[in-house]
Amino acid sequence: MKKHNFSAGPCILPEEVLQKASQAILNFNDDDLSLIEISHRSKPFVDVIEKARNLALELLNLENKGYTALFLQGGASGQFLMTAYNLLNKKAGYLNTGTWSSKAIKEAKLFGEIVEVASSENTNFNYIPKNYTIPTDLDYFHCTSNNTIYGTQMKSFPETDVPLICDMSSDIFSRQLDFSKFDLIYAGAQKNMGPAGTTLVVIKNEILGKVEREIPSMLNYQTFIDKESMFNTPPVFAIYTSMLTLEWLKNLGGIPFIEKVNEQKSALLYAEIDRNKLFEGTAQKEDRSHMNATFKLKNEALKNEFDTLWKQANINGLEGHRSIGGYRASMYNALPLYSVQALVDVMQEFERIQKL
Ligand SMILES: *Cc1c(COP(=O)(O)O)cnc(C)c1O
């Protein structure tokens, strides 16, 4: 039986996507060739990347609004560099909500002055700063919608006239937002969209062309826009599998549908974390993530016992990130509700055993 997979990334994908992706490796489109041994410029693959790009814009409700969707390489980490390279002239603002934001800030500092508009580092990033003021003279403002490691999530986004850039790696396509508020969104595929190897970038075309420096071709968004995301050989398997996941999501009812399921899943788990006296959540309640729930045992001495129990229950990937410890249950789009129920059952069983 497939394990209940709470892995933070690379993460669970829908069963039907894995089936179709496996089939395409052996025989793609009934052409008696594998997806990974045909030209990326052949019609069957060009159709795939076109479909993936269109589905991304459609699901985000950004069709015909001046945006382009690209499938790039280099991970979300590559975007820490690329966003600054393409958009930072003098000064940019960053909201520092965790490890990934900090890494984005480090890269951007190579290109200009960085204002850390607000930070929750003083409390090991267990909340999202609020009521900060964004200076008006910035080239852009950068934030991280969901902090995969710390289990916090932005529930609202600042109103600002400067371009808004968001790292949505771990919650893209998981909840309804007005995506047209953002000028650039990026997301590594491997959290909520596909396998590792590609990064979705959704960019409002008009924000480009405003920096003075020369940008190397491979780091220039315009190169990839002009070449329809095919300047060089793209990661064909990662893009194909992402397309399958986006198709799966669309057929289910898109983001409005999956958002409700995600709310159900996280409500079920957080209710147990709050009810069960053996556990406590690590993120502030109002900022809790619907994707990654972080929690810990009140008594660390029980760790081995609990670990044995959840592993016996066919659960995978519950260990917290090394920088915060404890547990982290990642509940991405493809994780079924019954997997969350299985975890809740284990937590209740653990409580029962402790009372004996
Ligand atoms: C995982 C993650 C990253 C890093 O992604 P890579 O594709 O490994 O570079 C960046 N930001 C967030 C929010 C993440 O969850």
Side-chain angles (χ1 to χ4, degrees), residues 8 74-78 80 100-101 144-149 167-170 186 188-191 198-199 332:
S77 303
F80 300 159
W100 300 119
S101 311
T144 311
S145 56
N146 184 69
N147 298 283
T148 327
I149 295 175
D167 175 358
M168 291 196 190
S169 290
S170 53
Y186 62 90
Q190 71 276 15
K191 303 284 168 47
T198 192
T199 308
Y332 296 115

Side-chain angles (χ1 to χ4, degrees), residues 243-255:
M243 183 212 81
L244 292 175
T245 314
L246 297 178
E247 212 168 39
W248 167 84
L249 179 57
K250 182 183 166 179
N251 291 339
L252 281 178
I255 297 179

